[in-house]
Amino acid sequence: MTTNTQLRDFEDIPVAGGIPVIGQTYNFLFQPLTSGIALYERLGPVIRGNAFGLNSVALGGPEAVELVLRNSDQAFSNHQGWAYFIEKFFHRGLMLLDFDEHKFHRGILQTAFKKAALTDYLQRMQPVIGQGLARWRKHAIGLRGTDFKVYPELKRLTLDIATEVFMGEPLGKEADHINNAFVDCVKAGTAIIRYPIPGGRWQRGLRGRATLEAFFRSRIAAKRRQPGTDLFSRLCIAEDEQGNRFSDDDVINHMIFLLMAAHDTSTITLTSMMYQLGKHPDWQRRRREEALALGKSTLVHDDLSQLPLMDLVLKESLRLLSPVHVLPRKTVKPVEFKGYLIPANVYVIISPIVTHHLFQYWTAPTMFDPERFGPERREHKQHPYQYLPFGGGAHMCIGLHFAELEIKTILYQLLLKFRWSVPEHYVMPINFTSLPTPRDQLPVKLYPL
């Protein structure tokens, strides 16, 4: 173990540099993968830098990820790390709680993601998927071979599923308004001008948050009077062993965060999978054959384990495009790593997407190669924190099993009902300024089967 006499000071940590005044802000927003890998290879796993006016330390590699996410000494605050970016828009969502309070809230929420609940969710999402893909078919026929924009249609579909499953009601005419409010809240987190200038990201985010608060608050009384089996109802009536319940504000905060997480991350992952299967038609063919061999028009919960090729494609798509590509924390006490002493009150950044592309751990890391996750190779098993699409530790994504269930169910039906392709040399351009999304909305040729 490193002794204090061997530790180097914070000022000795290699400095990333960057553009005067704004430091690494440009790289953080527009090229976090390429710049992150270049800095790691040039300066190593501990780097000082500045982005958004915040002095911070970037820690790279699986050992760093393990240190931060295991957080065995409770030295890293999740809330203080995220608060600067999203506190105003996702106030007291599960990701913004720490330590004992986080454990208490997570314990109540966890009941909504057990197998019995997931089985019910799967059944309830089937008609929503069927209706959504019927709309896709109609659009595809009407396009007559022109491009079908995948991302906005997937986002509409996953939001429809999230509201049906988590709220017990369809959005109907409010769908676009609520979807835009979520988009504005997510984008506001990385606003450079963090002041409500008319028309700016920050102001749109504040307005979106107000819209979402009013939307959920107007429904709480009815949910408390006549609860159903949806997540919203569960939160309204949930109690701990002492009979404590969530307040109205607690319910609203959790619903806003969970609905955002439930549809945004699934949309990004499905978009990545459709892109890769469009670019690699042999994998699309093999996946379709696997789906047809199951001999079912829709899935039940026990079918999910019977789709090994789909699981490989899902894992590789998550590796290549992590839906949450950066995880910020803030130290609440001094931390030692790689011979450096990082003091309290310092922002610490780890990056799943950079860790997923380090050549020391992955063969040809930029290539789509699902079989790297297969039983013969198991590349992701070299280190327990080498592969982290859903985070890890106490803050591992609470909805990861729901996300897997939803993604596989949607893709299964897509493979049975459509074939799609992208041009041979097409590369999906990614907008990293909030969550990673396709700048061109992923145009594909979509052909009904």
Side-chain angles (χ1 to χ4, degrees):
M1 180 167 176
T2 305
T3 64
N4 288 336
T5 57
Q6 296 173 313
L7 288 176
R8 286 166 284 182
D9 291 334
F10 182 68
E11 290 74 17
D12 294 328
I13 296 174
V15 179
I19 301 171
V21 181
I22 69 170
Q24 290 290 317
T25 304
Y26 179 89
N27 286 337
F28 187 96
L29 287 173
F30 299 106
Q31 49 189 31
L33 176 56
T34 54
S35 65
I37 291 173
L39 286 170
Y40 179 88
E41 292 178 350
R42 180 165 62 90
L43 299 176
V46 188
I47 304 169
R48 270 197 301 143
N50 174 292
F52 297 95
L54 305 174
N55 290 317
S56 59
V57 173
L59 299 181
E63 292 178 49
V65 171
E66 181 175 18
L67 172 76
V68 174
L69 295 188
R70 284 188 63 188
N71 201 12
S72 56
D73 294 332
Q74 295 195 339
F76 299 96
S77 167
N78 216 59
H79 168 248
Q80 293 183 41
W82 282 105
Y84 175 84
F85 298 98
I86 63 173
E87 172 76 26
K88 293 282 188 181
F89 316 106
F90 297 101
H91 176 64
R92 290 185 59 78
L94 188 63
M95 194 167 68
L96 281 86
L97 302 178
D98 273 328
F99 311 129
D100 289 344
E101 186 179 34
H102 170 263
K103 184 178 180 180
F104 166 70
H105 282 252
R106 188 181 180 98
I108 295 177
L109 288 167
Q110 193 70 58
T111 61
F113 294 98
K114 292 184 176 179
K115 183 176 179 179
L118 292 174
T119 301
D120 177 60
Y121 298 160
L122 178 57
Q123 182 178 359
R124 291 169 60 177
M125 71 174 63
Q126 299 290 0
V128 183
I129 297 172
Q131 293 163 13
L133 296 189
R135 187 170 62 241
W136 284 39
R137 177 177 292 274
K138 183 178 179 180
H139 287 181
I141 293 171
L143 288 170
R144 300 182 183 278
T146 57
D147 289 336
F148 178 88
K149 300 295 182 66
V150 166
Y151 177 76
E153 292 297 332
L154 279 173
K155 197 169 195 308
R156 179 179 176 183
L157 177 58
T158 58
L159 182 60
D160 285 347
I161 291 170
T163 53
E164 173 63 36
V165 168
F166 290 164
M167 293 183 58
E169 62 174 286
L171 281 180
K173 293 185 294 183
E174 294 177 289
D176 288 343
H177 188 50
I178 297 302
N179 198 1
N180 289 336
F182 276 118
V183 169
D184 288 341
C185 285
V186 171
K187 286 184 175 180
T190 51
I192 295 176
I193 301 174
R194 310 178 78 77
Y195 186 80
I197 296 173
R201 273 192 175 194
W202 196 259
Q203 186 202 47
R204 291 198 302 271
L206 294 174
R207 189 170 59 235
R209 169 73 192 198
T211 294
L212 295 173
E213 283 188 9
F215 175 75
F216 289 110
R217 195 175 298 278
S218 69
R219 288 160 166 78
I220 284 182
K223 287 291 183 183
R224 291 201 191 277
R225 284 195 307 270
Q226 293 183 308
T229 59
D230 55 275
L231 177 65
F232 198 0
S233 295
R234 293 172 190 265
L235 296 186
C236 287
I237 63 174
E239 295 182 352
D240 66 6
E241 293 178 356
Q242 287 73 45
N244 298 313
R245 288 191 173 193
F246 284 146
S247 68
D248 286 3
D249 286 344
D250 285 333
V251 173
I252 291 166
N253 293 331
H254 285 311
M255 285 301 297
I256 290 174
F257 176 74
L258 289 172
L259 247 72
M260 178 278 293
H263 84 281
D264 266 349
T265 54
S266 294
T267 301
I268 292 165
T269 304
L270 280 162
T271 301
S272 179
M273 293 175 80
M274 286 195 68
Y275 163 63
Q276 297 295 353
L277 292 178
K279 195 171 179 67
H280 300 90
D282 184 58
W283 270 100
Q284 185 179 153
R285 176 188 58 78
R286 291 171 64 189
R287 274 294 303 108
R288 185 171 290 107
E289 290 174 353
E290 178 183 66
L292 288 169
L294 201 58
K296 296 183 175 182
S297 58
T298 59
L299 298 177
V300 297
H301 192 274
D302 290 343
D303 293 329
L304 299 175
S305 61
Q306 306 303 311
L307 300 166
L309 292 181
M310 182 183 287
D311 196 57
L312 297 182
V313 172
L314 171 60
K315 284 184 168 68
E316 179 69 338
S317 299
L318 284 166
R319 183 189 70 83
L320 288 167
L321 189 65
S322 310
V324 183
H325 61 288
V326 173
L327 300 174
R329 299 289 191 269
K330 195 173 185 182
T331 55
V332 294
K333 62 176 74 170
V335 178
E336 300 176 18
F337 185 67
K338 294 294 183 182
Y340 293 102
L341 180 64
I342 303 169
N345 298 314
V346 170
Y347 282 93
V348 171
I349 306 296
I350 57 173
S351 174
I353 199 169
V354 170
T355 304
H356 292 170
H357 284 78
L358 295 179
F359 71 89
Q360 297 95 326
Y361 296 93
W362 306 95
T363 303
T366 61
M367 293 185 61
F368 177 73
D369 181 9
E371 289 176 343
R372 72 173 79 243
F373 289 94
E376 295 82 12
R377 291 168 59 185
R378 296 168 60 85
E379 278 190 12
H380 60 305
K381 294 297 186 179
Q382 298 171 69
H383 191 284
Y385 283 82
Q386 170 189 346
Y387 179 64
L388 58 150
F390 296 103
H395 281 275
M396 179 176 282
C397 175
I398 194 171
L400 68 92
H401 297 300
F402 173 82
E404 180 181 352
L405 175 151
E406 178 186 34
I407 290 163
K408 287 183 176 181
T409 303
I410 292 173
L411 189 65
Y412 181 83
Q413 292 204 35
L414 277 168
L415 288 161
L416 294 181
K417 296 177 179 180
F418 299 97
R419 177 175 60 84
W420 62 93
S421 63
V422 298
E424 181 179 355
H425 299 294
Y426 168 78
V427 176
M428 183 170 67
I430 304 299
N431 178 356
F432 283 105
T433 58
S434 55
L435 298 179
T437 58
R439 286 202 304 267
D440 59 359
Q441 301 185 335
L442 182 56
V444 305
K445 302 298 184 187
L446 186 70
Y447 306 99
L449 295 177

